[in-house]
């Protein structure tokens, strides 16, 4: 088996540039790995062998002709299946969109194609990105590469598992309340939600528009940073897109490596009282505290923060998010968009047709949230719940902004638990929603946040979350790169790591 799959995206990019490997060889290695491993993991809903190899050939030809290429050209990537891809199925893991072949590309897809990264396929997710375990996919769950009996997180469990099982070095996710970060935490990978508006959402199937943000999934902080540099930037087709000159995140991620043994000297790291405590598993807390010690050794000053509104942020999220989702998903009615199902009995009236189509097309979690969200927006409930939740959101924003007057970054565990077993939380939605307690605040505020592996608990990865002020993505990457240096987690995977495949750590 090729050990290429164990290398980082930036190392592969270098090898491609130096002519040590061709993109066709690399893409073949990735496709072979997917064929070998994915029957167990089920990270992919669609593998585009032909399309990926066509791009790889283009890259190799362009390089041979001496053309100037993007630094990541030729490095394979996977996209979450809510990122629209022209000519390639895009389902958001829903029966509602099964068989849909989009006639256009998302802006992210266009950027990736323009930079010539072979897109090897579309990854599994909770239906319409609602969930924390990938168990809500209409096409069956993804398995955690660390323990196949456990969930890979959600909603972007497919992208995280694909990267964590060394099937692909890079992937795209979407994060409305943690769907990039929580899967990263439980699979030992790096997942980033950039500042709201930093990456275009044009062509990413909308969930809750005031919270949605696309971002990178990778095995190292520098790889994620390089991918963010590629996908970020203004897009007139996304109304909230920031017209901003971003500094290089890759340089920020690499800066700490060359900054001596106190790379965080002068840096203040905030620890929030509300994002620690009994709600977090012992092993998660232990890894978190160890990491704080490590950051101190590396020069950081730890500052305790009290942000009381965080106690009710998750509640506000689970009002605002379903409310917006119910509106965004109204278009899937079997008339304008989505699966059309004729009513089983009686005359075909438009109401019956819509009810039958939505009844057949949506899974139970999606229905739950549409009902909840519609209720929150209806007369009598709107002021009581939706408007109140928006007030909570404003309070939280103010509190967080005030905290950033004092500290450079805020840190917390990414997820209160490590990967749980299939079925453990499936029948108790409120228990499932608690998985998002530490991740949803960043979406409510719009600030960038990422998860970096900080160690293992009972053999399962633990994620450490770094949050930074809006537009402060670079400082987030700088701190995350230090966290990453504490322990190399992803390569320790007993099932799918380089060791398990008989490739020694050094060679890989
Ligand atoms: N788990 C969260 C939810 O179910 C996050 C979803 C997301 O970020 N797409 O709402």
């Amino acid at each position: 088996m090729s050990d290429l799959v164990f290398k980082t995206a930036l190392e592969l990019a270098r090898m491609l540039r130096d002519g040590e490997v061709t993109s066709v060889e690399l893409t073949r290695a990735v496709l072979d790995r997917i064929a070998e491993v994915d029957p167990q993991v089920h990270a992919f809903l669609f593998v585009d062998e032909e399309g990926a190899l066509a791009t790889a050939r283009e890259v190799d030809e362009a390089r041979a002709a001496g053309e100037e290429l993007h630094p990541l050209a030729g490095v394979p990537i996977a996209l979450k299946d809510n990122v629209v891809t022209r000519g390639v199925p895009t389902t958001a893991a829903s029966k509602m969109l099964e068989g849909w072949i989009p006639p256009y590309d998302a802006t992210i897809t266009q950027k990736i194609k323009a930079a010539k990264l072979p897109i090897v396929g579309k990854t599994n997710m909770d239906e319409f990105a609602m969930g924390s375990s990938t168990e809500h996919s209409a096409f069956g769950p993804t398995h955690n590469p660390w323990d196949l009996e456990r969930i890979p997180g959600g909603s972007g469990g497919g992208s995280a598992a694909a990267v964590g099982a060394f099937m692909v070095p890079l992937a795209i996710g979407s994060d409305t309340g943690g769907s990039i970060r929580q899967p990263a935490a439980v699979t030992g990978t790096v997942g980033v939600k950039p500042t709201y508006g930093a990456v275009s959402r044009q062509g990413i199937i909308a969930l809750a528009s005031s919270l949605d943000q696309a971002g990178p999934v990778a095995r190292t902080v520098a790889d994620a940073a390089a991918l963010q540099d590629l996908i970020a930037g203004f897009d007139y087709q996304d109304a909230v897109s920031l017209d901003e000159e971003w500094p290089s995140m890759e340089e920020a991620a690499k800066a700490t490596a060359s900054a001596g043994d106190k790379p965080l000297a002068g840096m203040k790291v905030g620890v929030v009282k509300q994002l620690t405590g009994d709600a977090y598993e012992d092993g998660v807390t232990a890894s978190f505290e160890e990491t704080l010690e490590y950051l101190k050794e590396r020069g950081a000053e730890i500052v305790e923060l009290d942000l009381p509104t965080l106690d009710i942020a998750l509640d506000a999220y689970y009002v605002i998010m379903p409310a917006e989702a119910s509106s965004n998903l109204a278009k899937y009615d079997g008339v304008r968009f989505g699966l059309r199902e004729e009513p089983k009995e009686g005359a075909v009236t438009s109401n019956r047709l819509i009810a039958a189509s939505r009844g057949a097309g949506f899974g139970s979690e999606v229905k739950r949230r549409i009902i909840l969200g519609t209720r929150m927006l209806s007369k009598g409930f709107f002021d009581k719940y939706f408007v109140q939740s928006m007030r909570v959101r404003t309070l939280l924003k103010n509190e967080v902004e005030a905290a950033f007057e004092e500290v450079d970054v805020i840190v917390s565990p990414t997820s209160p638990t490590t990967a749980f077993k299939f079925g453990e939380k499936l029948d108790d939605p409120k228990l499932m929603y608690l998985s998002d307690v530490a991740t949803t605040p960043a979406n409510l505020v719009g600030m960038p946040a990422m998860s970096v592996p900080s160690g293992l608990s009972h053999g399962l990865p633990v994620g450490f979350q770094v949050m930074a002020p809006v537009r402060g993505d670079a400082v987030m990457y700088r701190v995350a790169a230090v966290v990453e240096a504490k322990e190399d987690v992803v390569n320790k995977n007993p099932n799918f790591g380089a060791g398990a495949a008989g490739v020694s750590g050094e060679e890989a």
Side-chain angles (χ1 to χ4, degrees):
M1 204 202 48
S2 168
D3 65 354
L4 287 170
V5 297
F6 297 107
K7 297 185 189 296
T8 68
L10 287 171
E11 171 66 0
L12 292 169
R14 185 203 59 74
M15 291 175 72
L16 286 163
R17 269 198 306 276
D18 292 349
E20 290 172 26
V21 68
T22 67
S23 182
V24 168
E25 283 163 2
L26 173 55
T27 305
R28 274 249 171 266
V30 161
L31 291 166
D32 289 350
R33 174 77 175 173
I34 294 172
E36 182 195 318
V37 163
D38 206 43
Q40 295 168 74
V41 177
H42 191 229
F44 284 90
L45 293 178
F46 183 79
V47 176
D48 186 13
E49 180 167 339
E50 215 177 291
L53 286 169
T55 306
R57 273 192 294 272
E58 243 182 73
V59 172
D60 292 340
E61 280 161 23
R63 207 180 301 274
E67 272 176 47
E68 177 121 24
L69 288 165
H70 186 278
L72 291 176
V75 177
I77 190 168
L79 309 182
K80 189 174 178 180
D81 204 27
N82 59 352
V83 180
V84 168
T85 42
R86 180 175 179 171
V88 167
T90 301
T91 67
S94 180
K95 288 213 163 69
M96 192 50 106
L97 288 176
E98 196 172 7
W100 182 48
I101 310 283
Y104 69 105
D105 277 326
T107 297
I108 279 204
T109 313
Q110 289 170 23
K111 286 193 174 205
I112 288 169
K113 285 186 175 173
K116 294 193 168 56
L117 281 75
I119 300 173
V120 295
K122 306 297 293 289
T123 58
N124 199 13
M125 55 188 282
D126 287 294
E127 183 176 5
F128 282 105
M130 299 180 192
S132 311
S133 68
T134 319
E135 291 167 289
H136 294 303
S137 167
F139 308 118
T142 296
H143 298 256
N144 191 312
W146 289 75
D147 177 347
L148 297 169
E149 307 288 297
R150 290 176 190 269
I151 60 99
S155 65
S159 282
V163 170
F166 300 87
M167 286 190 257
V168 68
L170 297 172
I172 293 291
S174 70
D175 192 309
T176 303
S179 284
I180 295 177
R181 290 163 286 153
Q182 183 257 7
V186 301
T187 57
T189 53
V190 176
V192 187
K193 182 197 92 71
T195 290
Y196 181 69
V199 175
S200 169
R201 294 107 33 97
Q202 186 280 124
I204 293 177
I205 294 174
L207 176 53
S209 307
S210 78
L211 304 160
D212 292 348
Q213 182 58 65
V217 180
R219 284 189 297 268
T220 69
V221 173
D223 279 4
L227 182 52
Q228 179 160 335
D229 287 337
L230 166 60
I231 59 178
F234 178 68
D235 179 11
Y236 74 94
Q237 295 177 98
D238 179 348
V240 304
S241 178
L242 294 173
D243 196 353
E244 182 95 5
E245 278 299 320
W246 296 97
S248 161
M249 300 302 157
E250 186 183 336
E251 274 170 33
K254 289 174 168 171
T256 29
S258 54
D261 57 353
K262 298 262 186 257
L264 298 180
M267 184 92 70
K268 289 190 177 156
V269 173
V271 177
V272 196
K273 200 170 98 182
Q274 284 78 9
L275 296 181
T276 55
D278 289 349
Y280 296 79
E281 264 174 23
D282 290 349
V284 169
T285 300
S287 172
F288 180 65
E289 284 171 357
E290 256 173 53
T291 309
L292 290 180
E293 281 308 310
Y294 180 78
L295 295 181
K296 269 199 248 173
E297 282 163 27
R298 310 291 273 147
E301 182 191 335
I302 306 294
V303 179
E304 292 224 5
L305 298 170
D306 184 11
L307 306 179
T309 304
L310 277 175
D311 281 336
I312 48 172
L314 186 68
D315 306 75
Y317 171 84
Y318 272 101
V319 173
I320 295 167
M321 185 268 157
E324 293 188 16
S326 72
S327 161
N328 273 330
L329 270 60
K331 62 178 170 279
Y332 304 106
D333 56 10
V335 178
R336 289 170 298 167
F337 296 100
L339 175 86
R340 174 176 296 205
E341 187 83 9
E342 303 271 327
K344 292 233 165 10
E345 47 197 48
V348 184
T349 64
S350 52
N351 269 349
R352 281 211 185 117
L353 178 80
I354 291 170
S357 299
R358 286 168 74 83
F362 288 137
S364 61
E365 182 61 23
V366 175
K367 286 178 185 154
R368 180 180 296 120
R369 296 208 197 185
I370 290 174
I371 292 168
L372 182 63
T374 307
R375 184 100 169 152
M376 294 298 143
L377 293 175
S378 60
K379 196 161 179 270
F381 289 89
F382 183 73
D383 289 325
K384 206 166 156 195
Y385 294 106
F386 189 76
V387 173
Q388 279 297 76
S389 298
M390 291 303 277
R391 290 194 178 114
V392 170
R393 188 172 188 177
T394 303
L395 284 176
L396 179 69
K397 221 171 159 194
N398 294 345
E399 268 175 28
V400 167
E401 275 170 16
F404 280 127
E405 299 283 312
E406 253 186 275
V407 298
D408 298 286
V409 292
I410 298 176
V411 300
S412 77
T414 309
S415 161
T417 69
T418 54
F420 45 89
K421 291 225 159 101
F422 287 114
E424 219 173 280
K425 303 190 181 180
L426 195 55
D427 299 326
D428 186 347
K430 281 195 277 183
L431 199 60
M432 185 77 89
Y433 298 167
L434 282 175
S435 308
D436 310 325
V437 67
T439 47
T440 48
N443 303 78
L444 289 167
V445 170
M447 60 184 158
M450 66 190 282
S451 182
V452 198
S454 66
L456 296 174
S457 165
H458 302 287
L460 293 171
V462 178
F464 184 92
Q465 180 174 232
V466 183
M467 296 171 263
V470 167
R471 295 185 169 82
D473 304 48
V475 66
M476 168 184 77
Y477 277 108
R478 244 186 308 213
V479 175
V482 177
V483 175
E484 170 180 63
K486 176 181 166 280
E487 189 172 333
D488 174 12
V489 172
V490 72
N491 287 302
K492 291 188 179 150
N493 186 319
N495 304 321
F496 297 102
V503 179
S504 94
E506 276 88 76
E507 280 169 48

